[in-house]
Structure formats: structure tokens, C-alpha cells
Amino acid sequence: MKEKLLSEFSKRFQSEAVLYASAGRINLIGEHTDYNGGFVFPGAIDKCIMAAIGQNGTDKVRVYSIDIDDYAEFGLEEADAPSAQWARYIFGVCRETIKRGGVVKGFDAVFAGNVPLGAGLSSSAALESCFAFAMNDMFNDNKIDKFELARIGQSTEHNYCGVNCGIMDQFASVFGKKDCLMRLDCRSMEFEYFPFNPQGYTLVLVDSKVKHELVDSPYNKRRESCERVAKTLGVETLRDADMAMLDAAKDKVSEEDYNRAKYVIEEKDRVLAVCDALKRGDYDTVGECMYATHRGMSELYEVSCEELDFLNDIARKCGVTGSRIMGGGFGGCTINLVKNELHDEFIATAKKEFAAKYGHEPMVYDVIISDGAHKC
Ligand code: ADP
Ligand code: MG
């Protein structure tokens, strides 16, 4: 990819280019915990966006996207927003950097990537983090701290792309480290690296390619349930609740709210259990927790769907160590911790059985936990 970027860059632009990259991410466990002040457990992966970037001495940005085969040129004022969606990510990063007092000057760039788009691996965070890191390195002597780089990406999604996301994706893309997952405390924003290099296992993403558009905004409803229960229990968020407290208040909350809160409380504890298990190298426990998360998301939080439950069942039938929905739910992919000797058979079975039932094969990606944003 490096050669392709540099040769395309020199074909189009006169300046000297530097290469930057940032990664997509997985989240091993910790789903719907972020807005409850709990933990998430992401890591950057070996699929990235890479850009060749050079200053051009003007006040204009000129960018070519190799994958989309599209070119955009824009200024750095608010009124200069480009219309192409892919370019808005880059424009947003520039604007959010400037809004925070950072410096951005004109530059030329060529970029490409291999993070599958819209598969739940956060290609958009990879794109934002790549350019945020580059702006910091090229124009700001790396004075902007890494959390701020993640927030620049997050604000880009909010303010320029209409996506009201949390911080996890950009955090993982910026802070990612080879063979390490990161437990992020979404209340304090403190985080810790945990070694994750499971010898004999592969992490496999199985993308169902289905996305159920639901009418009654289930995401907001889940949040409301959590807030209601927290209020009943007299805590700020469900992070501060445990099962004893919830059970003591069982007759004060609806059955549905009880189930939602039970999932969130158990999920918070599962993230901690997985971290402990990783310290012992106990991947069987990691896997059991992943299955338990899937069950909780399906039966208590009710954010699964038929296709994802089907993929989870296939994983179990094939003897896969751990499997669960990754992401918010209602479609997208499962993340699977698979013993290497079962890998090929699991993938073949998942593709065949899913296609027989739903008419199309899922997409499958093996991922390795890798470095986040960096200069190449
Ligand atoms: P994801 O879940 O992968 O983040 P999004 O819809 O949030 O999905 O972001 C995908 C968008 O990010 C694409 O529509 C495109 O605008 C931009 N993008 C991601 N990867 C690339 C790429 N390799 N080249 C150009 N644009 C990209
Ligand atoms: Mg995205």
C-alpha cells in the first residue's frame, strides 16, 4: 500500500509526502456499557487507513481517495465544507483541530485503506484518526494530546457527518497498541493496556451484512430504561449499581427495565472477569463471557436479531471458544475467538449455512490486534 500511495502522490502533487496510518478496531467485550459509565475493551486491528500527505504552501486542501477514485479540494473555513461524504471526514478533522486552537495549513494528500466500510470495524474512525494524527505531527509539533485527537474524530462525526457516536472507536484507533487490548473506563476515561496475543486462536469477524432499520428508535429506549433504573436505585449511572441493589428494587421497576439493567450490570462485571482471565491466559473463560454477552444482548437487552443469533448458534455448534454480537446490535457482525484448528471449518460452515438460510454469504475477516495511529 505504501508504494501505491507514494507513486499516486508523486503523479498528482509536487510536494514531499510523509506516510501516516491509523487502524480500525474491534471491541472484545463491553457492549452498551459506555453510556452507563461502564467499561469497554477495544483494540486496534491490522486493517487501516493510510495517507501520503505533504504541505502545499497554500490555504487549500487537495485530496485524492484511491479507493473511491474521487478528488476533492477545499479551503479551511467553515463555509468551505466539501459535499462528498468521504471528504467531510477530513474537512471535519481540520476544522475540529482549528476550533481547539490547533494549526492546520494547506496540504495535499492521497489515501487508501483496507478497513471494510460499514462492517462494524469503524473505518470512519480510522480515517479521522489518521488525519488527526497527521495534522498534529505536521503542524502542531505533536502538542495536541492523544485523547484530544480522539475527540477531534468524535466531534467530526457529530458535527460534520451526522453520527452521534461515543468515544470508543476513535480512542481505540488513536491509542491502539500491537497485541494489546485497552480497558477504557467510560466514567473516568482512564484506561489500561492488557496483553492479548492468544497463541493458537484467531479473532474472526463474521459480518451478516444485514442491518435492521427499526422505527421506534430502540437505542434511545434502551438508554431511557437504564436512566430510569439508575434513578430508582439512586445512582448516577448503572456503573454504580450491583445485582443486589437491583434485586432489592425489583418491584419498583418494570420487568423490561429490570432485564435491561440486569444485562448492563452483568456486562460491566463480565469485562472485569475477561480482564482477569486474560491475565491468567484463560481463554476458555474469555470465550464463555463472550457467549454470555451474546445471550444477554439477545434475551435481556433485546438488541440481537435472527441472523446474529443464527451465527452465534453456528459458532457454538462448531466448538468456537467465544462468540457474540459486536456493536450496538440489530445487525452487523459477530466477533469470534476461534481455535486455529477449527478456523477453516467454522468459516466454511458459517458461510454455507448462513447462505442457505438467508440467501447471501456473510463476509469474514480475520483480525490481529495491532498498532493504532502512527507515522509510517
Ligand atoms: P464504519 O462502521 O466502517 O465506520 P461509516 O459509515 O461510519 O462505517 O464510515 C464509512 C465511511 O467512511 C465511508 O462511507 C467513507 O465516507 C469513509 N471511508 C472509510 N474508509 C474509506 C476509504 N478507504 N476510502 C474513502 N473513504 C472511506
Ligand atoms: Mg463509523
Side-chain angles (χ1 to χ4, degrees):
M1 178 146 42
K2 288 181 184 171
E3 289 71 38
K4 189 170 73 175
L5 286 168
L6 290 173
S7 90
E8 188 67 40
F9 188 93
S10 62
K11 239 191 285 171
R12 290 175 176 269
F13 305 115
Q14 274 68 55
S15 51
E16 285 286 306
V18 179
L19 287 168
Y20 296 93
S22 199
R25 63 99 192 92
I26 53 97
N27 184 35
L28 189 70
I29 197 156
E31 218 65 77
H32 288 280
T33 44
D34 53 350
Y35 53 85
N36 288 297
F39 302 98
V40 291
F41 200 37
I45 57 174
D46 58 331
K47 310 213 176 326
C48 70
I49 298 278
M50 195 180 279
I53 310 182
Q55 297 196 40
N56 62 18
T58 74
D59 56 2
K60 290 260 178 326
V61 174
R62 305 184 292 183
V63 202
Y64 176 65
S65 159
I66 291 185
D67 300 327
I68 297 181
D69 185 19
D70 195 16
Y71 174 81
E73 195 172 315
F74 51 84
L76 291 163
E77 302 298 326
E78 202 57 42
D80 298 325
S83 54
Q85 178 62 29
W86 65 268
R88 293 181 68 85
Y89 289 99
I90 298 165
F91 176 76
V93 166
C94 295
R95 286 299 309 160
E96 291 296 336
T97 303
I98 292 166
K99 279 187 211 168
R100 285 164 172 76
V103 176
V104 178
K105 296 179 190 159
F107 63 86
D108 299 332
V110 166
F111 75 101
N114 58 2
V115 190
L117 274 62
L121 299 179
S122 214
S123 65
S124 62
L127 178 54
E128 292 145 12
S129 305
C130 178
F131 279 85
F133 187 92
M135 296 302 103
N136 196 24
D137 187 60
M138 290 175 68
F139 301 117
N140 296 280
D141 295 327
N142 288 301
K143 285 203 185 98
I144 306 173
D145 83 37
K146 283 173 112 184
F147 255 110
E148 209 52 39
L149 295 183
R151 291 204 185 89
I152 285 170
Q154 182 193 23
S155 302
T156 295
E157 301 261 358
H158 292 181
N159 300 331
Y160 298 90
C161 308
V163 179
N164 192 18
C165 63
I167 193 74
M168 177 177 78
D169 300 352
Q170 291 78 13
F171 162 80
S173 187
V174 169
F175 283 90
K177 197 156 101 178
K178 186 172 161 42
D179 296 335
C180 284
L181 297 177
M182 296 161 285
R183 188 180 71 200
L184 175 67
D185 181 331
C186 297
R187 183 171 65 184
S188 67
M189 286 293 136
E190 284 166 358
F191 73 98
E192 199 181 323
Y193 287 105
F194 285 80
F196 182 83
N197 182 16
Q199 297 295 326
Y201 295 86
T202 307
L203 275 180
V204 181
L205 278 297
V206 180
D207 181 6
S208 67
K209 295 196 284 186
V210 302
K211 193 80 218 158
H212 295 286
E213 300 295 343
L214 297 154
V215 280
D216 59 346
S217 170
Y219 178 78
N220 290 342
K221 286 205 157 148
R222 298 300 179 282
R223 284 187 83 131
E224 285 160 18
S225 285
C226 295
E227 283 162 16
R228 241 185 338 260
V229 177
K231 202 165 165 205
T232 306
L233 300 183
V235 292
E236 199 178 321
T237 62
L238 289 178
R239 162 69 179 274
D240 302 306
D242 58 27
M243 278 312 294
M245 290 163 75
L246 180 62
D247 281 332
K250 196 164 184 177
D251 54 354
K252 294 200 199 96
V253 298
S254 71
E255 191 186 342
E256 187 176 281
D257 281 2
Y258 175 88
N259 286 339
R260 306 295 191 243
K262 182 167 192 274
Y263 164 76
V264 170
I265 291 168
E266 290 179 344
E267 181 71 353
K268 170 188 70 181
D269 292 338
R270 269 193 294 268
V271 180
L272 301 177
V274 162
C275 292
D276 283 344
L278 279 182
K279 283 186 188 152
R280 302 190 303 270
D282 175 1
Y283 288 98
D284 286 335
T285 298
V286 172
E288 274 165 32
C289 288
M290 292 168 77
Y291 278 114
T293 293
H294 187 94
R295 253 191 329 272
M297 286 177 83
S298 182
E299 292 164 15
L300 297 173
Y301 219 62
E302 296 183 273
V303 291
S304 187
C305 59
E306 200 193 308
E307 295 89 342
L308 290 174
D309 288 344
F310 188 71
L311 287 174
N312 190 259
D313 287 342
I314 292 175
R316 193 182 287 283
K317 241 177 32 194
C318 290
V320 167
T321 305
S323 176
R324 68 171 195 88
I325 303 169
M326 192 177 80
F330 305 114
C333 59
T334 60
I335 178 166
N336 304 271
L337 181 63
V338 188
K339 282 214 172 96
N340 288 345
E341 61 265 28
L342 297 176
H343 176 272
D344 293 356
E345 198 191 318
F346 165 56
I347 290 175
T349 308
K351 283 186 171 170
K352 192 169 121 228
E353 294 197 6
F354 191 90
K357 184 146 186 187
Y358 297 108
H360 68 272
E361 278 192 358
M363 290 296 291
V364 177
Y365 310 98
D366 291 354
V367 297
I368 298 169
I369 303 305
S370 304
D371 285 327
H374 63 279
K375 197 170 177 166
C376 304

